[in-house]
Coordinates of all heavy atoms in Angstrom, one line a residue:
D10 N 0.8 -1.2 0.0 CA 0.0 0.0 0.0 C 0.9 1.2 0.0 O 1.8 1.4 0.8 CB -0.9 0.0 1.3 CG -1.9 1.1 1.3 OD1 -2.1 1.8 0.3 OD2 -2.6 1.1 2.3
G11 N 0.7 2.2 -0.9 CA 1.5 3.4 -1.0 C 1.1 4.5 -0.1 O 1.5 5.6 -0.3
A12 N 0.1 4.3 0.7 CA -0.4 5.4 1.6 C 0.7 5.7 2.6 O 1.4 4.9 3.2 CB -1.6 5.0 2.3
P13 N 0.8 7.1 3.0 CA 1.8 7.5 4.0 C 1.5 6.8 5.4 O 0.3 6.5 5.6 CB 1.7 8.9 4.1 CG 1.0 9.4 2.8 CD 0.2 8.2 2.4
A14 N 2.5 6.7 6.2 CA 2.3 6.0 7.4 C 1.3 6.8 8.4 O 0.6 6.1 9.1 CB 3.6 5.8 8.1
Y15 N 1.3 8.1 8.3 CA 0.4 8.9 9.2 C -1.0 8.6 8.9 O -1.9 8.8 9.7 CB 0.8 10.4 9.2 CG 0.7 11.0 7.9 CD1 -0.5 11.5 7.4 CD2 1.9 11.2 7.1 CE1 -0.5 12.2 6.1 CE2 1.9 11.9 5.9 CZ 0.6 12.4 5.4 OH 0.6 13.0 4.3
W16 N -1.4 8.2 7.6 CA -2.8 7.9 7.3 C -3.2 6.6 8.0 O -4.5 6.4 8.2 CB -3.0 7.8 5.8 CG -3.0 9.1 5.1 CD1 -2.1 9.6 4.2 CD2 -4.0 10.2 5.3 NE1 -2.4 10.8 3.8 CE2 -3.5 11.2 4.5 CE3 -5.1 10.3 6.1 CZ2 -4.3 12.4 4.3 CZ3 -5.7 11.5 6.0 CH2 -5.4 12.5 5.2
K17 N -2.3 5.8 8.3 CA -2.6 4.5 9.0 C -2.7 4.6 10.5 O -3.2 3.7 11.2 CB -1.6 3.5 8.6 CG -1.5 3.2 7.1 CD -0.4 2.3 6.8 CE -0.2 2.1 5.3 NZ 0.9 1.3 5.0
D18 N -2.3 5.7 11.1 CA -2.2 5.9 12.5 C -3.6 6.4 13.0 O -4.3 7.3 12.4 CB -1.2 7.0 12.8 CG -0.9 7.1 14.3 OD1 -1.5 6.3 15.1 OD2 -0.2 8.1 14.7
A19 N -4.1 5.8 14.0 CA -5.5 6.2 14.6 C -5.5 7.6 15.0 O -6.5 8.3 14.9 CB -5.8 5.2 15.7
L20 N -4.4 8.2 15.6 CA -4.3 9.5 16.1 C -4.6 10.5 15.0 O -5.3 11.5 15.2 CB -2.9 9.8 16.7 CG -2.8 11.1 17.3 CD1 -3.8 11.4 18.4 CD2 -1.4 11.3 17.8
T21 N -4.2 10.2 13.8 CA -4.5 11.1 12.6 C -6.0 11.2 12.4 O -6.5 12.4 12.3 CB -3.8 10.6 11.4 OG1 -2.4 10.5 11.5 CG2 -4.1 11.4 10.1
W22 N -6.7 10.2 12.5 CA -8.1 10.2 12.3 C -8.8 10.8 13.5 O -9.9 11.5 13.3 CB -8.6 8.8 12.0 CG -8.1 8.3 10.7 CD1 -7.1 7.4 10.5 CD2 -8.4 8.7 9.4 NE1 -6.7 7.2 9.2 CE2 -7.6 8.0 8.4 CE3 -9.3 9.7 8.9 CZ2 -7.6 8.3 7.1 CZ3 -9.4 9.9 7.5 CH2 -8.6 9.2 6.6
Q23 N -8.3 10.6 14.7 CA -8.9 11.3 15.8 C -8.8 12.8 15.8 O -9.7 13.5 16.0 CB -8.3 10.7 17.1 CG -8.6 9.3 17.4 CD -7.8 8.8 18.6 OE1 -6.7 9.3 18.9 NE2 -8.3 7.7 19.2
L24 N -7.6 13.2 15.4 CA -7.4 14.7 15.3 C -8.2 15.3 14.2 O -8.8 16.4 14.3 CB -5.9 14.9 15.0 CG -5.0 14.8 16.2 CD1 -3.5 14.9 15.7 CD2 -5.3 15.7 17.3
A25 N -8.3 14.5 13.1 CA -9.2 15.0 11.9 C -10.6 15.1 12.4 O -11.3 16.1 12.0 CB -9.0 14.1 10.8
A26 N -11.1 14.2 13.2 CA -12.5 14.3 13.6 C -12.7 15.4 14.6 O -13.7 16.1 14.6 CB -12.8 12.9 14.4
V27 N -11.7 15.7 15.5 CA -11.8 16.8 16.4 C -11.8 18.1 15.6 O -12.6 19.0 15.9 CB -10.7 16.8 17.4 CG1 -10.6 18.1 18.2 CG2 -10.9 15.6 18.4
V28 N -10.9 18.2 14.7 CA -10.9 19.5 13.9 C -12.2 19.7 13.1 O -12.8 20.8 13.1 CB -9.7 19.5 12.9 CG1 -9.8 20.6 11.9 CG2 -8.4 19.6 13.7
F29 N -12.7 18.6 12.5 CA -13.9 18.7 11.7 C -15.1 19.1 12.7 O -15.9 20.1 12.3 CB -14.3 17.3 11.1 CG -15.7 17.4 10.5 CD1 -15.9 18.0 9.2 CD2 -16.7 16.8 11.2 CE1 -17.2 18.0 8.7 CE2 -18.0 16.8 10.6 CZ -18.2 17.5 9.4
W30 N -15.2 18.5 13.8 CA -16.3 18.8 14.7 C -16.1 20.2 15.3 O -17.2 21.0 15.3 CB -16.4 17.8 15.8 CG -17.5 18.2 16.8 CD1 -17.3 18.5 18.1 CD2 -18.9 18.3 16.6 NE1 -18.5 18.8 18.7 CE2 -19.6 18.6 17.7 CE3 -19.7 18.1 15.4 CZ2 -20.9 18.8 17.8 CZ3 -21.0 18.3 15.5 CH2 -21.6 18.7 16.7
S31 N -15.0 20.6 15.6 CA -14.8 22.0 16.1 C -15.1 23.1 15.1 O -15.8 24.1 15.4 CB -13.4 22.2 16.7 OG -12.5 22.2 15.7
Q32 N -14.8 22.8 13.9 CA -15.1 23.8 12.8 C -16.6 23.7 12.5 O -17.2 24.8 12.2 CB -14.2 23.5 11.5 CG -12.8 23.7 11.8 CD -12.5 25.0 12.3 OE1 -12.9 26.1 11.8 NE2 -11.7 25.1 13.4
F33 N -17.2 22.6 12.5 CA -18.6 22.4 12.3 C -19.4 23.2 13.4 O -20.4 23.9 13.1 CB -19.1 21.0 12.2 CG -20.6 20.8 12.1 CD1 -21.2 21.0 10.9 CD2 -21.4 20.5 13.2 CE1 -22.5 20.9 10.7 CE2 -22.7 20.4 13.0 CZ -23.3 20.6 11.8
A34 N -19.0 23.0 14.6 CA -19.7 23.6 15.7 C -19.5 25.1 15.7 O -20.3 25.9 16.3 CB -19.3 23.0 17.0
D35 N -18.4 25.5 15.2 CA -18.0 27.0 15.2 C -18.5 27.7 14.0 O -18.5 28.9 13.9 CB -16.5 27.1 15.3 CG -16.1 28.5 15.7 OD1 -16.8 29.2 16.4 OD2 -15.0 28.9 15.2
W36 N -19.1 27.0 13.0 CA -19.5 27.5 11.8 C -20.6 28.6 12.0 O -21.5 28.4 12.7 CB -20.1 26.4 10.8 CG -20.7 26.9 9.6 CD1 -20.0 27.4 8.5 CD2 -22.0 27.0 9.3 NE1 -20.9 27.7 7.5 CE2 -22.2 27.5 8.0 CE3 -23.2 26.6 10.0 CZ2 -23.4 27.6 7.3 CZ3 -24.4 26.7 9.3 CH2 -24.5 27.3 8.0
G37 N -20.4 29.7 11.4 CA -21.4 30.8 11.5 C -21.4 31.6 12.7 O -22.2 32.5 12.9
M38 N -20.4 31.4 13.6 CA -20.3 32.1 14.9 C -20.2 33.6 14.6 O -20.9 34.4 15.1 CB -19.1 31.6 15.7 CG -19.0 32.2 17.0 SD -20.2 31.6 18.1 CE -19.4 30.1 18.7
G39 N -19.2 34.0 13.7 CA -19.1 35.3 13.4 C -20.1 35.9 12.6 O -20.4 37.1 12.7
D40 N -20.8 35.1 11.9 CA -21.9 35.6 11.0 C -23.2 35.9 11.8 O -24.0 36.6 11.3 CB -22.2 34.6 9.9 CG -21.1 34.4 9.0 OD1 -20.2 35.4 8.8 OD2 -21.0 33.4 8.3
S41 N -23.4 35.3 13.0 CA -24.6 35.5 13.7 C -24.4 36.1 15.1 O -25.1 36.9 15.5 CB -25.4 34.2 13.8 OG -24.6 33.2 14.4
V42 N -23.5 35.6 15.8 CA -23.3 36.0 17.2 C -22.8 37.4 17.3 O -23.3 38.2 18.0 CB -22.4 35.0 18.0 CG1 -22.1 35.5 19.4 CG2 -23.1 33.7 18.1
Y43 N -21.8 37.8 16.5 CA -21.2 39.1 16.7 C -22.1 40.2 16.2 O -22.3 41.2 17.0 CB -19.9 39.2 15.8 CG -18.7 38.4 16.2 CD1 -17.9 37.9 15.3 CD2 -18.6 38.0 17.6 CE1 -16.8 37.1 15.7 CE2 -17.5 37.2 18.0 CZ -16.6 36.7 17.0 OH -15.6 35.9 17.4
P44 N -22.8 40.1 15.1 CA -23.8 41.1 14.8 C -24.9 41.3 15.9 O -25.3 42.4 16.2 CB -24.4 40.7 13.5 CG -23.3 39.8 12.9 CD -22.7 39.1 14.0
Y45 N -25.4 40.2 16.3 CA -26.5 40.3 17.3 C -26.0 40.9 18.6 O -26.6 41.8 19.2 CB -27.0 38.8 17.7 CG -28.0 38.8 18.7 CD1 -29.3 39.1 18.4 CD2 -27.7 38.5 20.1 CE1 -30.3 39.1 19.4 CE2 -28.6 38.5 21.0 CZ -30.0 38.8 20.7 OH -30.9 38.7 21.7
A46 N -24.8 40.5 19.1 CA -24.3 41.1 20.3 C -23.9 42.6 20.1 O -24.2 43.4 21.0 CB -23.0 40.4 20.8
C47 N -23.4 42.9 19.0 CA -23.1 44.4 18.7 C -24.2 45.2 18.6 O -24.3 46.3 19.1 CB -22.2 44.5 17.5 SG -20.5 43.8 17.7
A48 N -25.3 44.7 18.0 CA -26.5 45.5 17.8 C -27.3 45.6 19.1 O -28.0 46.6 19.4 CB -27.4 44.8 16.8
N49 N -27.2 44.6 20.1 CA -28.0 44.6 21.3 C -27.3 45.0 22.5 O -27.9 45.4 23.5 CB -28.7 43.3 21.4 CG -29.7 43.0 20.3 OD1 -30.6 43.8 20.2 ND2 -29.5 41.9 19.6
A50 N -26.0 45.0 22.5 CA -25.2 45.2 23.7 C -24.4 46.5 23.7 O -23.8 46.9 24.6 CB -24.3 44.0 24.1
S51 N -24.2 47.0 22.4 CA -23.3 48.2 22.3 C -24.1 49.4 22.6 O -25.2 49.6 22.2 CB -22.8 48.2 20.9 OG -22.0 49.3 20.7
S52 N -23.4 50.3 23.4 CA -24.0 51.6 23.6 C -23.9 52.6 22.5 O -24.5 53.7 22.5 CB -23.4 52.2 25.0 OG -22.1 52.3 24.8
T53 N -23.0 52.3 21.6 CA -22.9 53.2 20.5 C -23.6 52.6 19.2 O -23.7 51.4 19.1 CB -21.3 53.4 20.1 OG1 -20.8 52.1 19.7 CG2 -20.6 53.9 21.4
P54 N -24.0 53.5 18.3 CA -24.7 53.0 17.1 C -23.8 52.4 16.0 O -24.3 52.0 15.0 CB -25.4 54.2 16.6 CG -24.7 55.4 17.1 CD -24.0 54.9 18.3
D55 N -22.5 52.4 16.3 CA -21.5 51.9 15.3 C -21.4 50.3 15.3 O -20.5 49.8 15.8 CB -20.2 52.5 15.6 CG -19.2 52.2 14.5 OD1 -19.6 51.8 13.4 OD2 -17.9 52.3 14.8
V56 N -22.4 49.7 14.8 CA -22.5 48.2 14.8 C -21.4 47.7 13.9 O -20.7 46.7 14.3 CB -23.9 47.8 14.4 CG1 -23.9 46.3 14.3 CG2 -24.9 48.2 15.4
A57 N -21.2 48.3 12.8 CA -20.1 47.8 11.9 C -18.7 47.8 12.5 O -18.0 46.9 12.4 CB -20.1 48.6 10.5
G58 N -18.5 48.9 13.2 CA -17.1 49.0 13.9 C -17.0 48.0 15.0 O -15.9 47.4 15.2
C59 N -18.1 47.8 15.7 CA -18.1 46.7 16.8 C -17.8 45.4 16.2 O -17.0 44.6 16.7 CB -19.4 46.8 17.5 SG -19.6 45.4 18.7
E60 N -18.5 45.0 15.1 CA -18.3 43.8 14.4 C -16.8 43.6 13.9 O -16.2 42.6 14.0 CB -19.2 43.6 13.2 CG -20.6 43.4 13.6 CD -21.5 43.3 12.4 OE1 -21.1 42.6 11.4 OE2 -22.7 43.7 12.4
M61 N -16.3 44.7 13.4 CA -14.9 44.7 12.9 C -13.9 44.4 14.0 O -13.1 43.6 13.9 CB -14.5 46.0 12.2 CG -13.1 46.0 11.6 SD -12.3 47.6 11.4 CE -12.1 48.1 13.0
W62 N -14.1 45.1 15.2 CA -13.2 44.9 16.3 C -13.4 43.4 16.8 O -12.4 42.8 17.2 CB -13.5 45.9 17.4 CG -12.7 47.2 17.1 CD1 -13.2 48.4 16.7 CD2 -11.3 47.4 17.1 NE1 -12.2 49.3 16.5 CE2 -11.1 48.7 16.8 CE3 -10.2 46.5 17.5 CZ2 -9.8 49.2 16.7 CZ3 -9.0 47.1 17.5 CH2 -8.7 48.4 17.1
S63 N -14.6 43.0 16.9 CA -14.8 41.6 17.3 C -14.1 40.6 16.4 O -13.5 39.7 16.9 CB -16.3 41.3 17.3 OG -17.0 42.1 18.2
N64 N -14.2 40.8 15.1 CA -13.5 39.9 14.2 C -12.0 40.0 14.3 O -11.2 39.0 14.3 CB -14.0 40.1 12.8 CG -15.4 39.5 12.5 OD1 -15.7 38.5 13.0 ND2 -16.2 40.3 11.8
E65 N -11.5 41.2 14.4 CA -10.1 41.4 14.5 C -9.5 40.9 15.7 O -8.4 40.2 15.7 CB -9.7 42.9 14.3 CG -10.1 43.6 13.0 CD -9.2 43.0 11.9 OE1 -8.1 42.7 12.1 OE2 -9.8 42.9 10.8
L66 N -10.1 41.1 16.9 CA -9.6 40.6 18.2 C -9.7 39.0 18.2 O -8.9 38.4 18.8 CB -10.4 41.2 19.3 CG -10.1 42.7 19.5 CD1 -10.9 43.3 20.6 CD2 -8.6 42.9 19.7
S67 N -10.8 38.5 17.6 CA -10.9 37.0 17.5 C -9.8 36.5 16.7 O -9.1 35.4 17.0 CB -12.3 36.7 16.9 OG -12.4 35.3 16.7
L68 N -9.5 37.1 15.5 CA -8.3 36.6 14.7 C -7.0 36.7 15.5 O -6.2 35.8 15.5 CB -8.2 37.4 13.4 CG -7.1 37.1 12.5 CD1 -7.2 35.6 12.1 CD2 -7.1 38.0 11.3
A69 N -6.8 37.8 16.2 CA -5.5 38.0 17.0 C -5.5 36.9 18.1 O -4.4 36.4 18.4 CB -5.6 39.4 17.6
A70 N -6.6 36.6 18.7 CA -6.6 35.6 19.8 C -6.3 34.2 19.2 O -5.6 33.5 19.8 CB -8.0 35.5 20.4
Q71 N -6.8 33.9 18.0 CA -6.5 32.7 17.4 C -5.0 32.6 17.0 O -4.4 31.5 17.3 CB -7.3 32.5 16.1 CG -8.7 32.2 16.3 CD -9.5 32.2 15.0 OE1 -8.9 32.2 13.9 NE2 -10.8 32.3 15.1
L72 N -4.4 33.7 16.5 CA -3.0 33.6 16.2 C -2.1 33.5 17.5 O -1.1 32.7 17.5 CB -2.6 34.9 15.5 CG -3.2 35.0 14.1 CD1 -2.8 36.5 13.5 CD2 -2.7 33.9 13.2
V73 N -2.4 34.2 18.5 CA -1.7 34.1 19.8 C -1.9 32.7 20.4 O -0.9 32.1 20.9 CB -2.2 35.2 20.8 CG1 -1.6 34.9 22.2 CG2 -1.8 36.6 20.3
G74 N -3.1 32.1 20.4 CA -3.3 30.8 20.9 C -2.5 29.8 20.1 O -2.0 28.8 20.6
C75 N -2.5 29.9 18.7 CA -1.7 28.9 17.9 C -0.2 29.1 18.2 O 0.5 28.1 18.3 CB -1.9 29.2 16.4 SG -3.5 28.6 15.9
F76 N 0.3 30.3 18.5 CA 1.7 30.5 18.9 C 2.0 29.8 20.1 O 3.0 29.0 20.2 CB 2.0 32.0 18.9 CG 3.3 32.2 19.5 CD1 4.5 32.1 18.7 CD2 3.5 32.6 20.9 CE1 5.7 32.3 19.3 CE2 4.8 32.8 21.4 CZ 5.9 32.7 20.6
F77 N 1.2 30.0 21.2 CA 1.5 29.4 22.4 C 1.3 27.9 22.4 O 2.0 27.1 23.0 CB 0.7 30.0 23.5 CG 1.2 31.4 24.0 CD1 0.5 32.5 23.8 CD2 2.5 31.4 24.6 CE1 1.0 33.7 24.2 CE2 3.0 32.7 25.0 CZ 2.2 33.8 24.8
A78 N 0.3 27.4 21.6 CA 0.1 26.0 21.6 C 1.2 25.3 20.8 O 1.5 24.1 21.1 CB -1.2 25.7 20.8
S79 N 1.9 26.0 19.9 CA 3.0 25.4 19.1 C 4.2 25.2 20.0 O 5.2 24.5 19.7 CB 3.3 26.2 17.9 OG 3.9 27.4 18.2
R80 N 4.2 25.9 21.2 CA 5.4 25.9 22.0 C 5.3 24.8 23.0 O 6.2 24.6 23.8 CB 5.5 27.2 22.8 CG 5.8 28.4 21.9 CD 7.1 28.3 21.1 NE 7.3 29.4 20.3 CZ 7.4 29.4 19.0 NH1 7.3 28.2 18.4 NH2 7.7 30.4 18.3
V81 N 4.1 24.1 23.1 CA 4.0 23.0 24.1 C 4.3 21.7 23.5 O 3.8 21.4 22.4 CB 2.5 23.1 24.6 CG1 2.3 21.9 25.5 CG2 2.1 24.4 25.3
A82 N 5.2 21.0 24.1 CA 5.6 19.7 23.6 C 4.5 18.7 24.0 O 4.0 18.6 25.1 CB 6.9 19.2 24.2
L83 N 4.1 17.9 23.1 CA 3.0 17.0 23.3 C 3.5 15.5 23.1 O 4.3 15.3 22.2 CB 1.8 17.2 22.2 CG 1.1 18.5 22.4 CD1 0.1 18.7 21.2 CD2 0.4 18.6 23.7
D84 N 3.0 14.7 23.9 CA 3.3 13.3 23.8 C 2.2 12.6 23.0 O 1.1 12.5 23.4 CB 3.4 12.7 25.2 CG 3.8 11.2 25.2 OD1 4.1 10.7 24.0 OD2 3.7 10.5 26.2
G85 N 2.5 12.2 21.8 CA 1.5 11.6 20.9 C 0.8 10.4 21.5 O -0.3 10.1 21.1
R86 N 1.5 9.7 22.4 CA 0.8 8.5 23.0 C -0.3 8.9 23.9 O -1.3 8.1 24.0 CB 1.9 7.7 23.7 CG 2.9 7.0 22.8 CD 4.0 6.5 23.6 NE 4.5 7.5 24.5 CZ 5.7 7.5 25.1 NH1 6.5 6.4 24.9 NH2 6.1 8.5 25.8
N87 N -0.2 10.0 24.5 CA -1.2 10.5 25.5 C -2.2 11.5 24.9 O -3.2 11.8 25.5 CB -0.6 11.0 26.8 CG 0.2 10.0 27.5 OD1 -0.1 8.8 27.5 ND2 1.2 10.5 28.2
L88 N -1.9 11.9 23.7 CA -2.8 12.9 23.1 C -4.1 12.4 22.8 O -5.2 13.1 23.0 CB -2.1 13.5 21.8 CG -2.8 14.7 21.1 CD1 -2.9 15.9 22.0 CD2 -2.1 15.0 19.8
G89 N -4.2 11.2 22.4 CA -5.5 10.6 22.1 C -6.5 10.6 23.3 O -7.7 10.7 23.2
A90 N -5.9 10.4 24.4 CA -6.7 10.3 25.6 C -7.1 11.7 26.1 O -8.2 11.8 26.8 CB -5.9 9.7 26.8
T91 N -6.6 12.8 25.6 CA -7.0 14.1 26.0 C -7.9 14.8 25.0 O -8.3 15.9 25.2 CB -5.8 15.0 26.3 OG1 -5.0 15.1 25.1 CG2 -4.9 14.4 27.4
L92 N -8.2 14.2 23.9 CA -9.0 14.8 22.9 C -10.5 14.9 23.3 O -11.2 15.8 22.7 CB -9.0 13.9 21.6 CG -7.7 13.9 20.8 CD1 -7.8 13.0 19.6 CD2 -7.4 15.4 20.4
W93 N -10.9 14.3 24.3 CA -12.3 14.5 24.8 C -12.5 16.0 25.3 O -13.6 16.5 25.2 CB -12.6 13.5 25.9 CG -11.8 13.8 27.2 CD1 -10.6 13.2 27.5 CD2 -12.1 14.7 28.2 NE1 -10.1 13.7 28.7 CE2 -11.0 14.6 29.2 CE3 -13.2 15.5 28.5 CZ2 -11.0 15.4 30.3 CZ3 -13.1 16.3 29.6 CH2 -12.0 16.3 30.5
A94 N -11.5 16.6 25.8 CA -11.7 18.0 26.3 C -12.1 19.0 25.2 O -13.2 19.7 25.5 CB -10.4 18.4 27.1
P95 N -11.5 19.1 24.1 CA -11.9 20.1 23.1 C -13.3 19.6 22.5 O -14.1 20.5 22.2 CB -10.9 20.1 22.1 CG -10.0 19.0 22.3 CD -10.2 18.6 23.7
V96 N -13.5 18.4 22.4 CA -14.8 17.9 21.9 C -15.9 18.3 22.8 O -17.0 18.8 22.4 CB -14.7 16.4 21.6 CG1 -16.1 15.8 21.3 CG2 -13.8 16.1 20.5
A97 N -15.7 18.1 24.1 CA -16.7 18.4 25.1 C -17.0 19.9 25.2 O -18.1 20.4 25.2 CB -16.3 17.9 26.5
V98 N -15.9 20.7 25.1 CA -16.1 22.2 25.1 C -16.9 22.7 23.9 O -17.9 23.4 24.0 CB -14.8 22.9 25.1 CG1 -14.9 24.4 24.8 CG2 -14.1 22.7 26.5
Y99 N -16.5 22.2 22.7 CA -17.2 22.6 21.5 C -18.6 22.1 21.5 O -19.6 22.8 21.0 CB -16.5 22.2 20.2 CG -15.5 23.2 19.8 CD1 -14.1 23.1 20.2 CD2 -15.8 24.4 19.1 CE1 -13.2 24.0 19.8 CE2 -14.9 25.3 18.7 CZ -13.6 25.1 19.1 OH -12.7 26.1 18.8
T100 N -18.9 20.9 21.9 CA -20.2 20.3 21.9 C -21.1 21.1 22.9 O -22.3 21.4 22.6 CB -20.2 18.8 22.3 OG1 -19.3 18.1 21.3 CG2 -21.5 18.2 22.3
G101 N -20.5 21.4 24.0 CA -21.3 22.2 25.0 C -21.7 23.6 24.5 O -22.9 23.9 24.6
W102 N -20.8 24.3 23.9 CA -21.1 25.6 23.5 C -22.1 25.5 22.3 O -23.0 26.3 22.1 CB -19.9 26.4 23.0 CG -19.1 27.0 24.2 CD1 -17.9 26.6 24.6 CD2 -19.6 28.0 25.1 NE1 -17.6 27.3 25.7 CE2 -18.6 28.2 26.1 CE3 -20.8 28.6 25.2 CZ2 -18.7 29.1 27.0 CZ3 -20.9 29.7 26.2 CH2 -19.8 29.8 27.1
F103 N -21.9 24.5 21.4 CA -22.7 24.4 20.3 C -24.2 24.1 20.8 O -25.2 24.6 20.2 CB -22.2 23.3 19.3 CG -23.0 23.1 18.1 CD1 -23.0 24.1 17.1 CD2 -23.7 22.0 17.8 CE1 -23.7 23.9 15.9 CE2 -24.4 21.8 16.7 CZ -24.3 22.8 15.7
G104 N -24.3 23.2 21.7 CA -25.6 22.8 22.3 C -26.3 24.1 23.0 O -27.4 24.3 22.8
L105 N -25.4 24.9 23.7 CA -26.0 26.1 24.3 C -26.5 27.1 23.3 O -27.6 27.7 23.4 CB -24.9 26.7 25.2 CG -25.3 28.0 25.9 CD1 -26.4 27.7 26.9 CD2 -24.1 28.6 26.6
L106 N -25.7 27.2 22.2 CA -26.2 28.1 21.1 C -27.4 27.7 20.4 O -28.4 28.4 20.1 CB -25.1 28.3 20.1 CG -23.9 29.2 20.5 CD1 -22.8 29.2 19.4 CD2 -24.4 30.6 20.7
L107 N -27.5 26.3 20.2 CA -28.8 25.8 19.6 C -29.9 25.9 20.6 O -31.0 26.4 20.1 CB -28.6 24.3 19.3 CG -27.7 24.0 18.1 CD1 -27.6 22.4 18.0 CD2 -28.3 24.5 16.8
Y108 N -29.7 25.7 21.8 CA -30.8 25.8 22.8 C -31.3 27.3 22.9 O -32.5 27.5 22.9 CB -30.3 25.4 24.2 CG -31.3 25.7 25.3 CD1 -32.4 24.8 25.4 CD2 -31.1 26.7 26.2 CE1 -33.4 25.1 26.4 CE2 -32.1 26.9 27.2 CZ -33.2 26.1 27.3 OH -34.1 26.4 28.2
T109 N -30.4 28.3 22.9 CA -30.8 29.7 23.0 C -31.4 30.1 21.7 O -32.3 31.0 21.8 CB -29.6 30.6 23.4 OG1 -28.6 30.4 22.4 CG2 -29.1 30.3 24.7
S110 N -31.0 29.6 20.6 CA -31.6 30.0 19.3 C -33.0 29.4 19.1 O -33.8 30.0 18.5 CB -30.7 29.7 18.1 OG -30.7 28.2 17.9
W111 N -33.3 28.3 19.7 CA -34.5 27.6 19.6 C -35.5 28.1 20.7 O -36.7 27.8 20.6 CB -34.5 26.1 19.6 CG -33.8 25.6 18.3 CD1 -33.7 26.2 17.2 CD2 -33.1 24.4 18.2 NE1 -33.0 25.4 16.3 CE2 -32.6 24.3 16.9 CE3 -32.9 23.3 19.1 CZ2 -32.0 23.2 16.4 CZ3 -32.2 22.2 18.6 CH2 -31.7 22.2 17.3
S112 N -35.0 28.7 21.7 CA -35.9 29.1 22.9 C -36.7 30.4 22.6 O -36.3 31.2 21.9 CB -35.1 29.5 24.1 OG -34.4 28.3 24.5

């Protein structure tokens, strides 16, 4: 079989599933939550500016988070056992957003 070795490793598929689920659960967050929050919680009428700052700060937080995450050494043997944490966080927030949108 000519497939690379990492395709045969179960950790590759676990990480792919976590990334897929986190992106699926996060889909539309900036398209719906930011405009709603800016329109209803901002004391200034500049909703577009509020949305811009929300998106810019979110992007900066992602870059800083990726930088610090890349500095942490991970043990691949134990990484599979800790994947439940991001799955639980994203599932919880996704469920909360669904619950509040349907209420």
Side-chain angles (χ1 to χ4, degrees):
D10 188 3
Y15 58 84
W16 284 116
K17 299 175 185 176
D18 189 8
L20 182 60
T21 300
W22 296 105
Q23 291 172 340
L24 288 172
V27 168
V28 169
F29 171 79
W30 177 244
S31 67
Q32 296 306 307
F33 175 78
D35 195 33
W36 175 72
M38 185 75 83
D40 294 336
S41 58
V42 173
Y43 296 150
Y45 178 81
C47 289
N49 293 303
S51 179
S52 60
T53 63
D55 184 22
V56 175
C59 174
E60 289 180 39
M61 184 202 68
W62 277 108
S63 297
N64 286 321
E65 294 295 326
L66 292 174
S67 176
L68 178 61
Q71 290 175 14
L72 293 173
V73 169
C75 287
F76 170 79
F77 283 114
S79 70
R80 300 295 181 241
V81 176
L83 296 174
D84 181 9
R86 295 170 302 200
N87 295 330
L88 185 61
T91 61
L92 289 177
W93 64 267
V96 171
V98 169
Y99 273 97
T100 302
W102 281 114
F103 186 66
L105 180 65
L106 287 173
L107 285 178
Y108 174 76
T109 56
S110 69
W111 290 339
S112 299

